[in-house]
Structure formats: structure tokens, C-alpha cells
Amino acid sequence: MYAFDFSAGDGTDKSLLGGKGAGLAAMTALGLPVPPGFTLTTEACRRFTVEEELPDDVWGETLMALRRLEATTGRKLGATTGTPLLLSVRSGAKFSMPGMMDTVLDLGATEAVVPALTAWSGSEHFAWDAARRFVQTFGKVVLGADEAKFQGVLSELRAARGVDDDSKLSAEDLREATVRFREIVAETGATAPDDPVEQLRLAVAAVFESWNNRRAREYRRIHDIPDDLGTACNIQMMVFGDLGDDSGTGVCFTRDPATGEARPYGDYLPNAQGEDVVAGIRNTLNLDDLAKRHPGHHAALTGVMRTLEAHYQDMCDIEFTVERDRLWILQTRVGKRTAQAAIRIAVEMVGEGVIDRNTALLRVDPITLDQLLHPRLQRPIEIEPIVKGLNASPGAAAGSAVFDADRAVARAKAGEPVILVRWETTPDDIHGMAASQGILTSHGGRTSHAAVVARGMGIPAVTGAGGIDVDEAQRRFQTGDVVVNEGDRITIDGGTGLVYLGDLPLSRPEPSPELEVLLQWADEVRTLGVRANADDANTAAEAVRWGADGIGLARTEHMFMGERLPIVQQVILGHDAAAALDALEKVQTDDFEALLGAMDGKPVIVRLLDPPLHEFLPARIDLVAERAELVIAGESTAKIDEMIEAVRRLEEDNPMMGLRGVRLGVVRPELYRAQVRAALAAVARRLDAGGDPHLEIMIPLVSTGTELERMEAMIHREMAAASTPVDVPVGTMIEIPRAALLAAGLAKHARFFSFGTNDLTQMTFGISRDDAQDAFLVRYLEEGLFPTDPFVTIDIEGVGKLVEMATRAGRAARPGIEVGICGEHGGDPRTIAFCHRIGLDYVSCSPPRVPIARLAAAQAALGSGAENASV
Amino acid sequence: MYAFDFSAGDGTDKSLLGGKGAGLAAMTALGLPVPPGFTLTTEACRRFTVEEELPDDVWGETLMALRRLEATTGRKLGATTGTPLLLSVRSGAKFSMPGMMDTVLDLGATEAVVPALTAWSGSEHFAWDAARRFVQTFGKVVLGADEAKFQGVLSELRAARGVDDDSKLSAEDLREATVRFREIVAETGATAPDDPVEQLRLAVAAVFESWNNRRAREYRRIHDIPDDLGTACNIQMMVFGDLGDDSGTGVCFTRDPATGEARPYGDYLPNAQGEDVVAGIRNTLNLDDLAKRHPGHHAALTGVMRTLEAHYQDMCDIEFTVERDRLWILQTRVGKRTAQAAIRIAVEMVGEGVIDRNTALLRVDPITLDQLLHPRLQRPIEIEPIVKGLNASPGAAAGSAVFDADRAVARAKAGEPVILVRWETTPDDIHGMAASQGILTSHGGRTSHAAVVARGMGIPAVTGAGGIDVDEAQRRFQTGDVVVNEGDRITIDGGTGLVYLGDLPLSRPEPSPELEVLLQWADEVRTLGVRANADDANTAAEAVRWGADGIGLARTEHMFMGERLPIVQQVILGHDAAAALDALEKVQTDDFEALLGAMDGKPVIVRLLDPPLHEFLPARIDLVAERAELVIAGESTAKIDEMIEAVRRLEEDNPMMGLRGVRLGVVRPELYRAQVRAALAAVARRLDAGGDPHLEIMIPLVSTGTELERMEAMIHREMAAASTPVDVPVGTMIEIPRAALLAAGLAKHARFFSFGTNDLTQMTFGISRDDAQDAFLVRYLEEGLFPTDPFVTIDIEGVGKLVEMATRAGRAARPGIEVGICGEHGGDPRTIAFCHRIGLDYVSCSPPRVPIARLAAAQAALGSGAENASV
């Protein structure tokens, strides 16, 4: 069976009938006033695709369904007497692909039926309008004529008659348009058959063919929709909203799709067909206006809305037409909505008893919470942006442009909001980034240093704004004619990548009460812990506000930056290193104490120093330039020469795989030891103050058990030597493929595993993320070589396989070992679903992602949350 | 049973008796004249180690064995009348650890027994000498006295008497020495017990304890000997070669250990004890001298040698003593020998029917062939080296020092042998390296670029010679006071790391006829293919000479270097790129044709371009310096600015994981296409010339199936478009962990896999080899964090696990898929054993390693060839 009358089923099989066909069948079953018709199934489309023509049996069933339709309606396709049947022929796939595929309307409105149509409608104007609409839609869709030419003819006619609207053209004008449209069609070399049945056959073929047009394929690629589903084709009796001012057409939602408020919302356009609404030529009326004009129709529509919302147990989007004294419902589907509306509708429907809490949790896409919680520009925005970059970290920010990290800190301390503008940022800029409201760079992608750090800190950022020319020496940037000097105010929108001159008004949304409720429900359902990545007390406090269960990753390298940098450099260069180490230990003790205080009662995983030491020294190329200036000035170069030599000694061709992480712990054991002492001292202080610290110490970049064994022994020695006895669990990051492969052995010396999926992804793919972004990653994603960005959603087949193997091996070797992930993936819903499935204990993500993770974890526990297609 | 009399067993259990004890038992069983005694087993030592003292039952058995020994010999320990029994108490482990553990001699020679000893020997001199020897050895070994002080006393006495040899001291002198020795011992605070039985107890304990002394532990670590074996302790009646000129002691080999010649070789020292031979004070006599002095003893010794060689079916090393009219055999073991001797002995013993071919194959350590086949300095070397670096690539070379690659090429073309001297080398130097006889660098370890490339090319290299100061601008280097200018002759020895001034005479050994025979036997036995890594026709020809079965890896990037570099830069910068690509295609066609010609009839795997493009451009830091000079000179910087910008665009933080390999094939498809066309054209030319080319094309750095699918499609298109139809297999390198994890999917698009274990090791460990060498790898190896260098021997637990998983998955997905490895590991015997075990088809290594690999593959097939301990 390829042809299903709308009245033949209950509309549950969207795979076979498509979304539109299923909706029509469901509404018919509900007794709603749906124009009769039938659906050619997606199976018919799939056969069409394979056989490259409409199979005979499909067409045979189509003709039989057409005969039934004629019998039901009492109308006949191509009838020159009695009531002619006009048809709409519409595509409709399982997943909505709005506007991507083709539609033919008014099929059957040949010139031969114009007299009969005139007689039926009482309007020659209507009859010729239907005829020209048919030539136009059929010519364009089936025969490939140029739509612009049709519009040209209509423009000419409107100009000649001095009217601004096609509905004001005369019947004679429309007849002339019909004739001229036929000439335009003839220019294509193809001729439209006169027989309406033959027209139908061609229209069906065109609809099926449109499944594989370029833009449909592209849309499917972007939205991860399989190519082999096919579209259904809905053939339905035309009804007409353009029979005069007593007719009209509209769209309504059962609740407000923008706010979620529980009252219907809609647009209505008198004397018009659906495509006229889309064209947006005339202003639409609202539902209150409809109630005034047609109280009966409004009441009926309200009833339909109630019926459909009850049926779908969700907010519905409905297309309807008033044909004089009849209300027709043309289409329905579950309505699209904003994140805010989704949350409110879901929570309120629970209150109304329509759905249960679990259903409500599944109704909100976690990723949409991201837009919801960042500061935003107040709309509408009155001025033009000066440049566009990449939307690297969401939210908007306004402040004074500054061009180096130290000045950012200085101005911010003085109470001035600042935007740090750099060619690109380096770890040296961290303190300046932390002090800024937002970041703007001219180089680097969405995964550049600036983007990653900004997202981690929850700071808005626009990166890779190639249109600006940053002159850090002169402290200004230029784009086109606009020059922005230090201190000039700018506003960036990290959600769009746009940059504006001046201070634009911002609003920071408070989490709505409905969101709070939803997240509480999520916490009751989820079994996966959600921790935050937070390096300092402020960020930790923010994480607690967002509902984090603890800190999954506290990086300690930021404690080495900013004003501590000179001490750190002393340690590295070996100048009075012991004293410098002592000083460093002292300040770190304060840092750890504050961090543990902010997370009192919750676990805090501190990762020992990870980056290569040269990140704490200046770049050699800069030093060489500086040295040249000293030579010219005739000054001594002894000091800078020493620094240049130190930098050169530490330089690496591939620093990511060089002397960092635990390797520093082996080669420069004093550094790790000082960190451990500081952390243990902080625990002691917290305990003395009556606090409840839960410190855990994590060793990064481990590739072999011996490394971990040595660090574990060192930490145990320090614990034994500490004045206050504490038991601090020691664990390891798993971020090197070998660590994942040897997890059973590592578990002997680790009380917890934390997958550092950023580095693990880099090493497993052999891809340096920052280098790859512009060089090839964008291209790989565009061309489908990678179906998803492995740095956003975990690569289940490769990296995920390692994570799963290691988790299983670790658990076997040490039952109950605590296992989580702390890469950027920790805030990605599809990754979270994966982590839930393989039984991890928690995910850890940046604080603003915590609500997303809480909801995604709940959805995963409810068995939803799609994992990504494999690379 | 802890104490075994020599006469109690057949000496087969070396684990229990140790090597020395087993030899003594075996010889006793063979009826050879072995001084009687017994062995305390390794089990006794293990109990001693655990219980931290000599267990009572062990000591009880020792005493019983002592009583039996006294009964057998008719002598008594500590006897003051009759014949006193003197004992040697010697360590002896399962694996020879020469000189690492302790020995006590002349035990029982107390002052109380001197009269009886005098009576027995007829020499008061002998008796006091034994007494002083005992105090000395017991004092040193058991009580920790300072050996230097004993030697000091002897020196004083010799000086006072005006003699040059202890044997010329009088009995009275020796008595005085004994007294003074006791005083030296007393200084330690310990006192030697007077009871010889108690002395024995302490001596046994000292021997067992010496199993765990520092140098023994270190020796075991280096030689991969387990720590829990323990040593045996051999207690044996002393016999004396120092009873006068009618006595003596010696060492002999059943065949010449240096050349392998089948005639006995030995040293004999009259009137001496074993330790005097070791001390090397007096010149020794040879076996012919022994025959003249003691024809009877010589004949007996010759018989012993015959017996032992027949028993062990191998060349034996024998210690013997002539005690007046008796010949005693003190020890035997299978003798150490040079590589050359090992081969000759093995092959000749097959000819003699002593052993079979398989045994012969197992008798030669493959790695020793390395020393055998490189040019060497003729010894003795008369002059002092000027500096010492790392022995990075074996062999010696002499030539003129040159300081840049272009001059190396120019001088070499003019027929001058050159040594390229650099701070360190880069891929830009490849043409210069290829033109040089040897490489000398002041920086970089054994796995630096210079070292790796030099080994690959089979060129001797000394790297990391920190003692030289290379001034590339002035074209000279300095070490101490020595300045070497361009053109000065130097000689480097890559086997020792030494560098000499001037041309030293070299000799390049031809493979001996015995080696040729052995390798032919190896080829008959091995199932693993051995291919070579060779990039050009010359190297390929060399590989064929060494017996390679084909080329496992032909890198094409070297074809982009040297005089082609300007064309390559044109392509990269996009200057008339199409013409430049054409030119490149033409020259590459010639390269491929020559390569296929040299390997006619054998497979040649060509790897498409792998390194990042910036390797073909100058370094930015150099360009910036150059630009500064142009500015000062007032010249235009337009051209260099363009280059600087191009370099900056291509710069990467971690180039190893950046835009290289197949990623270039995706982003710059024209480069790969040109290479494929050139390779296919070369095949066509070879076919036209009646050749038998077996080209295979390999795609590097694949991480996902889509990459491979795209390249496969491109190559198939080019094959279809080629004028001569050929079927060239397309395969992939597996060098990224993800590729190994997804091997089943890759096998769909790959007719062969080749594991690039260099990069695979780097990515799996997260270690950049070049960066790591000095930064931490050396330290990791020294401190045992890595038991073996994973860049030398494959890391079985981690990298090997990936190789094994991928091989299994690839074979399951595509039965019969050809799988090999082509990293540097391909020439390492332990890696070869692993490759054989997991069923790979071949290994590929640098040409000079081919003989090693052939032999190692044969040993693997015979079930030998130890795999490395795990990291």
C-alpha cells in the first residue's frame, strides 16, 4: 500500500506518512475539519529514488485514491461542469525540513475549468487567479521556469493598473497573467500537459525528486537526518481563503511560542492563501481580531486547539483556512518554541496534569539553556556592527578596549569594565582575561586559546575577527575607517560574533522559577554527578550557584600567572629558587584554602601543574626583538641573554607532547612537592576553622604506572609528615592513549580516574586542536570527513572506546574506583548521554554549563539523549 | 636440600646451582679433575634474603657437606697437624654477572695452620702468603676493610725490599704483611673470628648478601636479570698454582674467541693464583709455551677441552690450575666471543656435525651484526679524540668539515668526502646529509633528527657533542683550543661517539662467507618478510644487496628537498603553481622510475607526502633576522615579507599533530594527485622497458575511514585515467591511535596496513621523541620509569596492544590483508620477535639493519628472541 486516505489511519506512523501526512490523518481521526485527501508514503518515494521513475503500481494506487477522493468530495479533477476538484501536492518528511522541498498548488486549475470554477465560486477573479497560480507553481516546480519572470509580469501589471496588491488586479489582468505565464513556461522548452491527471503524475514525481535536491541534502547533513528516509507526498483537496473578505488563512499556536504563556497565539490574513502569509506583503491580524470578525470560526478554532493540545500533550502549531462559512484545518505539528517557552510550557503542563515530570524533562533541549543564561544585548539593536568574528563564547559584554593583560587588570581594579583585545591570547594573558568582561581577538577559531579559556571562565568572546587590525604597540585596532583606541567603549556579542562601537544596553537573565523547578526535577532523576571545572574561589562559588556537586578539575597553573609570574620565573631560572618556592607555596596555600572554602562539604579535585615551563617565560622571538633594541640603545644584554638561553633550553617542537604534567613532577620534583604541601596545609587550615574540606589530588599526563607510583609515594610522604593527619585520595587524569590502554595497572595507584578528553582526543586523533581549527578542521566538518566536531562531542568510536575500555579495566582492578570526565566534552549533552551509558560517576564542565549538564544527565537517565553519529 | 656435593648431580640445573656450580657438577660427572666441594643453592640464598640471616637448616647442611668434603679430601679445616683444608667460597648466579658479587679465598689459612701448611707445601713462603691472602680477602669482603690499605702495605714492603713482585717477598715479609693486615682489619672495629668454621659461616653470608649490593642490582637492571633469582655459593677445596715454578694457573678457550678459528686459545701464568692473572701484573704465556713446559698437562688440558666442547656443543671458556704434578679444572662456561667469532663458530660447528642449523641460528645475537657491518676505525688508534658526543649512528667516517647542506652537496659533487657539522639538523639539511660521509652535531640525542635520519641512511653520526661550539656563520667549530674550519679534515666514530682531528684510516668489513651462509639459513627458516626503508634508487640497491624482500617504506618528502625546494616553495606560495606542480610531477616520475628499477620484481610501498608544508620553508626566526639586515641595508623587504607571512600562516604550535599526511591530501589535493600521477607514470615507463614494477601507494596519518575513502577514490580515478592500465594497491599507514582503534573500518578501503610505529609510539605515549630525549626520556630510562626505550623496542603493553588489536580487526574485516611495520622498531630484534608472534607479514627497516632483521626473524620463527619486559 503506497496511498493512504487521511481517513484510513490514526496518524502514528510518521516514518511512513511523514510528519504532515501523519498530522492530517490524526486530525481526520479526531473528527477535525480537514480537507480530504491522501498520502503517498515515504516507501513510494524510496522506490521512486531507486527506480528513477514513478513505479506503475504506485501510480495505480494513486489513481484509485484520486477516484475515492472525487467520490468523497463530489468534485472531479478537470471537470468543466459541476465542481472542479483542485489539489495541493505537498512534500512532507518524517523530520521537518521547512521549505527545503517542493509543493504544487491549485493543480487542476486549467483554463478549461475556469468557467466551472467561476460558477462554483461566483468569482471570475478567483478562477483566473487559481489558473495563474497553477501555471506559476507547476511551471516553477515541475518544469524549472524562472520564478523571477513570473514576478516580473505581476509587477508590470500592478504598475500598469496602479495597485499595490495582486488581489486588486482584475479578472482580465489575471487572465492576461495566465497567458503570459504560459509563454514563460514555454521558454523552458518543456510544455505542461493539458490533462490534469498527467499534471498530477509529474507533480508527484517532482515532489519525490525534491528529496534529493541540493539544499535538502545540505539541510539533512547539517541536522544529522539520514538520506535514505525519503519524503511522503500529500495530495489534498484545495480549500480557498481568497474567496473574498469573508475568507482568509492563518497560523496559530496553542501557547505563546516565545514566552510559553498558556494562551493561544496566532496570525490571520483575510482574503488570502497560505503562500500570501509567507510572502508577508500585508500585515496580519491577531486571534482577537479573528474573534471579532468571525466569532464562530474563532470559537471553533479554540476548540480545535484544545483538542490538538490534548491529543499531542504538547503545544501545537496549526495552519487553518476560513473558506466563507467553513473553517478548515490544513496542518498541525508540535510547535517550535524558544528555550524559555519550552521550559515554561513543560513545567506548567506538569502542573496542569497533562504530562509527568519525566516527560517535561525530555521536552527541553539542554543545549538551549546556554543562550538563556548569558547576558544578552537588549533588542532591537539600533546601530550597525563594525565587524563580525566567530561566536566563540556566548553572552554579550560592553567595556573599554584594552590591549594587554596588565592594563586590563589595572583598569578593572579601578572599577572599569574592560574588553581585552588581542591578536590572539596566550596563557600569559590569563589574569587579564579573568579581569575582563569580554575578549576580542583577530585570530584563532572557536577552539583557540581565547575561546576555550573564555568559555571555561564563562566570559563572552568573539575570536578570529579577521576584519580588525590589532596594533598592540600603539594600543588600538582598526576596521575599515573606524579606529578604536585604548579606553574607547565597545560591545561584543559572543552569541553572534558581532562587535559594536559604544556601550550597548545588556540584560542578564535570571534563571526563571520554571528553570529552577525543572533542574530540581532533573537532580532527582539523574544518577550521573555534575561537577564544575573551577580554578579559584570566585568560579567555585559561581559553580555552587549553578548547582555543581563539586569541582572535577581545579587547574593550578593559573595560580602561577599574573603577579606570581616573577616568582615562578625565579624558580624556573634557579635564582634563589628555594626562597621562591617557599613564597609560591605560601600563596598557593591561600588559594587552595579559598577554593576549599567555597566548595565546603563537596569534593575538590586539584590537578598538579600541567603546562610546559616555557609557558611561564616570554616568547623567544619577542626577547630577540627586545634584545635588538637594547643593542641599539647600547645597553647591557646580559640579563636578557640569560632569559633567551633559558627559553631556548626549554623550547620544544611539540610542547603538547613534551615536558609537562607528571613529567615535571619527575624532573622538577620540588614543584609538585610544594603544591602538595600547600594543598595539605590548606586542608589543615580549613579543618582548624571548622570547615569540611574534601581535597583530592590528581596527577596529569600519566603514561605509565611507575610515574603514578612515584607521585603517590611522594604525596603519602607529605601526608605522613603533615602536622594535621588527613587522608587525601590520589588519582590520575587519563588523557594519554597509553594510560587508557593500561588502566588496570594504573588503578593500583589511583583512587580515581578523570578522563581529560581534550588531550585524549588530541592524542587519539593526532590532532593539535588549536593548529587544526583553521588549517583543516573546519574543512573536515564542512565536507563531512568528520560528521561532528570531536572536540565538542566525544568521538564514541575512537576516544569513547578508550574511555570505555579504561573504565571497565579500572573498575575490574579496583572496584568502586571513582571515574569521571573533565574535558570540555563534560558540558555536551551527547557526550553526557555516552558517559551515563558507560556508567561514569560524574561529568565536570565549566560553571555556566552545569545546568545543561544537570538536564542532559537527567535525560540520559530517562533513556534519551542521542549519542552522536560516529566519525 | 640446600647443599649439593659436586659429585651429586649432572649439573643441568643452573637455576638452582648457578652457572659456576652447574659447571663444576657437570665436569665432576664427566670425570674431569675438579677440586672437590659443594654448592649452596640459590634457594638457600633466597631464604637468606627473606630471613635476613643464614637459616639454621641451611647452615646445618653446610656443616654436613663440609664433613663429607673433609672425608673425601683427607684434609681438615683449621687442622694444625696433617693437611689443612683451605676453601674458596665463591658466588655464582644463573646468569653470569662477572665481578659483581663477592668471593673469599684461602679460608682456613689462619696463622695457627701456617706450620702445617708449611709442612704440606714445603714452603713457609707459600704458607704465609696464603695466610695474608686470607686476611686480605676476608677482611675486605666480610668485614669491609679498605683494599687500598692492603695494597699500600704490599707496596711499602716491595719498595723496602727492592722487588717488583709479591712473589719475591720473603716468608718473613709475608708474615709481617699478615700481622699488619690484621691491624688494618681491626681498624674497621670488627674482628675476624679465629674459628675457621665461624669464618665460613660469615663468608657464606657475605656471598649471599653480595647478591643485593648496589653494583649487582645495577648490573641486573641493565641486563634485564630478575632480582629474585639469588646466587649460589660454591665451597671448594683450594688448589694452588703458586707452589713454585712447577705450578701455575691459566684460562683457555676451546676456539679463538676473537676470530672464531677452530683452535684452542689460552693464557698461562706460572707460580700464580687466579687473582694474579686478573691483576695482570706479569706477562702471561700461551698454550704453546705450556706445551713446552708441561707436555703432559698440555695434553690433558687439550683432552679436557675436547670433552667440554663435545659436552656443551659450544666453545667453552675454562679456568685451570697446575699444582705441581696435577692439573685441576676450576671452572668452565660457554665462552663469550665477538660477533665475528660467534658466526664462524656457529657455521663451522654445523659443518662439523656438532650442532644443527637451527641451533647455529640461535647462537648469534642479531644486534651484534650491527657493529660488524659498518666501516670502522683501524685499531689501535694513535691519537687522542678532540671531543666525545653520543654514538648516534654506527660506523666511522672521515672527511672535510662543512657547515651547511648546500656546501656539503657542492664539495661532495667535486669528489670530496665531507662531514656535515651542524648545531642540529633539520629536514632542510637532508640533501646535505645524503651527500655526506658522516654527521656531527652539537645538540640532540640518539633520537634527534640527525641521529634518526643518519641511521636511516646508514651514515655514521655523532650527535649532541656539547663540547663543540658550532659557529655556522663563520663556518667553523671550536672545542677547547682546537678550531676546525671548513675544509679541515676530521674523523668521527659513530660507534663510540669520539671525534678526531685529521683523516684516520678506516676499514669497511665485507660480510664474511660464514655470515652469508648463516643469513641464507635464516631466510630458509623465517616466515616474516624483511623489507627496507629506502627513499631513492641508491638506497634501494643497497637494500637489495643486504637481502631485502622489497621496500616497506619509500618516503617521498626527500624528493621535495635540495634543488627541488624552489619549485616546491612556488607550489606552496601559489606562484605559477600549476607549472611548478607539473615540473615536480616530472622529476618525481624519474625518481619513482629509478626506485622501481632498483627493486624490480619486488614490492615497493610509496608513502605520499607526510611532513607539514612549513618544513619546506625557512624558519621564521631566520627570516626576521634576514629582514632586519635588508632594512639596515635600505633594500626592499617586499619579497621576504611575503615569505614571512606565508611561514606565519603555516606555523603550528604542535606540527607533529597538525596539517600533514593525508590532511594535506584533503586540503591541498593537487599535491597528492601530482605524486600519484608521477608514480603511475613511472610504473608505465618500467612496464614499457620490460620491467616488473610492484608499486603500492600508502596514505599516511589517517585517523578516519572517510579520509582513506577519498584518497582511494582519487587514486582509482587516476588509475582509470592513466594510459597504461595498472592495478596499484592502496593502503594506509597506521600511526595514529584512532586508526588502530578503527582498523576494521579502515580495512574496507585499504589493501594493506603498515604500522608507523615511530609516530604511533609518540601519540600513544603523548611523547614528542625529539623534545623528550634530553628533557626527560634519558632520566626516565636511568631511573627505571621506562624499563626500555619505547622508541627502540616496541612497547608491547601499550603500542603493541594497539598493533595487535588493529591487526586482528583488519584481518577479520579483510582476510589476507597485508600487514607490516615500517617504524625504526622494524630493525630491533625484540620488536621483530613480537611482530612474528602476532603474525605480521613483514618488518621494514633501514638497509644496514636488514641482516639483523633476517636473523632475528629466523630466531623468532624458532621460538626464541626475547620480547622486552613491559614498561
Side-chain angles (χ1 to χ4, degrees), chain A residues 527-528 803-804 807-808 811 817-820 832-842:
Chain A
T527 55
L528 192 65
V803 170
E804 201 172 349
T807 301
R808 209 177 306 126
R811 290 253 164 88
I817 188 171
E818 184 187 76
V819 184
I832 291 168
F834 168 76
C835 292
H836 174 84
R837 178 170 70 70
I838 65 166
L840 296 198
D841 295 305
Y842 67 88

Side-chain angles (χ1 to χ4, degrees), chain A residues 707 710 738 780 783 795, chain B residues 707 710 738 780 783 795:
Chain A
E707 291 170 327
R710 181 178 288 198
R738 191 173 192 276
Y780 266 54
E783 300 186 6
D795 153 46
Chain B
E707 291 170 328
R710 180 179 289 199
R738 193 174 192 273
Y780 266 54
E783 299 186 5
D795 154 46

Side-chain angles (χ1 to χ4, degrees), chain A residues 423 620-621 624 648 651-659 662-663 666-667 669 703-704 706-707 710 736-738 741-742 762-768 771 775-776 779-780 783-786 795 797-798 801-802 805 871, chain B residues 423 620-621 624 648 651-659 662-663 666-667 669 703-704 706-707 710 736-738 741-742 762-768 771 775-776 779-780 783-786 795 797-798 801-802 805 871:
Chain A
W423 193 76
R620 186 153 66 100
I621 204 163
V624 166
R648 184 152 99 161
E651 250 170 23
E652 295 176 311
D653 289 336
N654 296 282
M656 190 199 303
M657 307 169 85
L659 179 56
V662 69
R663 298 161 193 173
V666 169
V667 174
S703 69
T704 181
T706 48
E707 291 170 327
R710 181 178 288 198
I736 287 191
R738 191 173 192 276
L741 292 166
L742 272 78
Q762 296 195 98
M763 310 270 185
T764 304
F765 273 88
I767 290 179
S768 163
D771 292 329
F776 64 91
R779 184 145 174 184
Y780 266 54
E783 300 186 6
L785 286 159
F786 291 158
D795 153 46
E797 273 190 300
K801 189 172 184 175
L802 286 176
M805 281 169 64
V871 171
Chain B
W423 194 76
R620 185 152 68 98
I621 203 163
V624 167
R648 186 152 96 162
E651 250 170 22
E652 295 176 312
D653 289 336
N654 295 283
M656 191 199 302
M657 306 170 85
L659 179 57
V662 69
R663 298 161 191 172
V666 169
V667 173
S703 69
T704 182
T706 49
E707 291 170 328
R710 180 179 289 199
I736 287 191
R738 193 174 192 273
L741 292 166
L742 273 77
Q762 296 196 99
M763 310 271 186
T764 304
F765 273 88
I767 291 178
S768 162
D771 293 327
F776 64 90
R779 185 144 172 186
Y780 266 54
E783 299 186 5
L785 286 158
F786 291 157
D795 154 46
E797 274 190 302
K801 189 172 184 175
L802 286 177
M805 281 169 64
V871 172

Side-chain angles (χ1 to χ4, degrees), chain A residues 71-407:
Chain A
T72 306
T73 57
R75 303 182 187 188
K76 201 167 152 30
L77 191 63
T80 50
T81 59
T83 311
L85 176 64
L86 302 199
L87 296 174
S88 75
V89 182
R90 291 176 193 265
S91 59
K94 177 176 180 183
F95 301 106
S96 172
M97 293 167 57
M100 294 299 122
M101 290 179 296
D102 288 328
T103 287
V104 175
L105 297 177
D106 296 288
L107 192 137
T110 56
E111 289 176 51
V113 307
V114 165
L117 268 186
T118 305
W120 172 76
S121 64
S123 163
E124 196 185 353
H125 178 281
F126 163 79
W128 278 113
D129 200 34
R132 74 92 192 161
R133 281 181 197 260
F134 168 66
V135 176
Q136 184 175 352
T137 178
F138 192 87
K140 176 182 151 202
V141 169
V142 180
L143 304 175
D146 184 355
E147 171 71 12
K149 290 186 178 167
F150 297 130
Q151 295 299 341
V153 169
L154 292 174
S155 298
E156 270 179 42
L157 286 169
R158 284 196 303 269
R161 305 302 171 241
V163 300
D164 59 355
D165 186 344
D166 295 344
S167 66
K168 292 175 185 150
L169 293 174
S170 68
E172 177 53 27
D173 292 337
L174 293 167
R175 197 198 58 76
E176 184 187 336
T178 308
V179 172
R180 288 176 64 184
F181 279 16
R182 290 181 71 102
E183 289 162 11
I184 289 169
V185 171
E187 285 170 19
T188 66
T191 41
D194 290 331
D195 175 7
V197 174
E198 183 58 16
Q199 289 166 3
L200 178 61
R201 206 178 57 80
L202 294 176
V204 168
V207 165
F208 282 164
E209 208 147 86
S210 71
W211 171 256
N212 278 315
N213 71 32
R214 232 180 88 94
R215 59 175 197 271
R217 288 204 313 270
E218 184 68 5
Y219 184 92
R220 289 198 293 273
R221 196 182 68 68
I222 293 168
H223 291 83
D224 280 339
I225 299 174
D227 275 330
D228 57 359
L229 297 179
T231 182
C233 176
N234 299 293
I235 296 163
Q236 190 175 20
M237 180 185 83
M238 288 288 292
V239 296
F240 304 99
D242 55 349
L243 287 176
D245 284 344
D246 55 352
S247 300
T249 190
V251 176
C252 64
F253 294 82
T254 60
R255 303 189 183 213
D256 188 322
T259 65
E261 193 185 350
R263 49 175 254 175
Y265 170 92
D267 293 322
Y268 178 73
L269 194 59
N271 195 17
Q273 280 291 64
E275 63 264 39
D276 303 326
V277 182
V278 177
I281 301 164
R282 287 182 288 161
N283 286 336
T284 55
L285 308 178
N286 63 27
L287 292 184
D288 291 340
D289 300 324
L290 179 68
K292 278 176 216 143
R293 279 180 173 242
H294 305 293
H297 290 328
H298 179 266
L301 185 62
T302 305
V304 167
M305 286 197 272
R306 224 175 276 126
T307 304
L308 285 174
E309 196 174 277
H311 178 72
Y312 285 104
Q313 301 182 327
D314 204 348
M315 184 269 269
C316 294
D317 163 354
I318 298 161
E319 289 178 23
F320 63 95
T321 283
V322 171
E323 190 185 78
R324 291 184 178 145
D325 57 353
R326 296 209 57 176
L327 172 70
W328 293 103
I329 307 298
L330 302 187
Q331 184 177 337
T332 192
R333 59 183 173 193
V334 169
K336 293 200 189 297
R337 64 206 75 181
T338 64
Q340 189 190 342
I343 294 162
R344 181 165 170 183
I345 291 170
V347 171
E348 288 188 354
M349 280 191 167
V350 172
E352 295 162 17
V354 177
I355 57 175
D356 61 16
R357 288 181 177 185
N358 290 352
T359 306
L361 286 167
L362 293 170
R363 284 276 169 87
V364 179
D365 181 356
I367 210 72
T368 60
L369 302 189
D370 201 31
Q371 336 150 0
L372 213 63
L373 300 170
H374 282 95
R376 282 176 295 188
L377 290 182
Q378 284 179 22
R379 291 180 195 275
I381 297 159
E382 306 290 348
I383 66 169
E384 288 298 307
I386 54 171
V387 72
K388 186 173 191 326
L390 298 170
N391 51 343
S393 179
S400 305
V402 289
F403 295 84
D404 69 77
D406 292 338
R407 289 184 166 245

Side-chain angles (χ1 to χ4, degrees), chain A residues 584-604:
Chain A
L584 211 52
E585 190 178 319
K586 279 202 188 67
V587 293
Q588 284 206 73
T589 305
D590 298 340
D591 293 338
F592 287 130
E593 187 186 4
L595 193 65
L596 290 167
M599 272 284 160
D600 201 56
K602 297 189 170 75
V604 174

Side-chain angles (χ1 to χ4, degrees), chain B residues 85-222:
Chain B
L85 176 64
L86 302 199
L87 296 175
S88 74
V89 182
R90 290 175 192 265
S91 59
K94 176 176 181 186
F95 300 105
S96 172
M97 293 168 57
M100 295 299 122
M101 291 179 297
D102 288 329
T103 287
V104 175
L105 297 176
D106 295 288
L107 191 137
T110 58
E111 290 175 52
V113 306
V114 166
L117 268 186
T118 304
W120 173 77
S121 63
S123 164
E124 194 184 353
H125 178 282
F126 163 79
W128 277 113
D129 201 33
R132 74 92 191 160
R133 283 180 196 259
F134 168 67
V135 176
Q136 184 175 353
T137 177
F138 190 87
K140 175 181 149 205
V141 169
V142 180
L143 304 175
D146 184 355
E147 171 71 12
K149 290 186 179 168
F150 298 130
Q151 296 299 342
V153 168
L154 292 174
S155 298
E156 269 179 43
L157 285 169
R158 284 196 302 269
R161 307 301 169 238
V163 299
D164 57 357
D165 186 342
D166 295 343
S167 67
K168 293 175 184 151
L169 293 173
S170 69
E172 177 52 29
D173 293 336
L174 293 167
R175 197 198 59 77
E176 183 187 335
T178 308
V179 172
R180 289 176 62 183
F181 279 15
R182 290 183 69 101
E183 288 162 9
I184 290 170
V185 171
E187 286 170 21
T188 66
T191 41
D194 290 329
D195 176 10
V197 175
E198 183 58 16
Q199 290 166 2
L200 178 62
R201 205 178 58 79
L202 293 177
V204 168
V207 165
F208 283 164
E209 208 146 88
S210 70
W211 171 255
N212 277 315
N213 71 31
R214 233 182 85 94
R215 61 174 197 269
R217 285 205 315 271
E218 183 68 6
Y219 185 91
R220 288 198 294 273
R221 196 183 67 69
I222 293 168

Side-chain angles (χ1 to χ4, degrees), chain A residues 807-861:
Chain A
T807 301
R808 209 177 306 126
R811 290 253 164 88
R814 183 192 282 263
I817 188 171
E818 184 187 76
V819 184
I821 79 165
C822 64
E824 291 225 3
H825 301 88
D828 170 67
R830 290 194 287 186
T831 305
I832 291 168
F834 168 76
C835 292
H836 174 84
R837 178 170 70 70
I838 65 166
L840 296 198
D841 295 305
Y842 67 88
V843 296
S844 189
C845 54
S846 61
R849 288 240 152 196
V850 166
I852 297 174
R854 288 162 70 194
L855 181 55
Q859 292 189 348

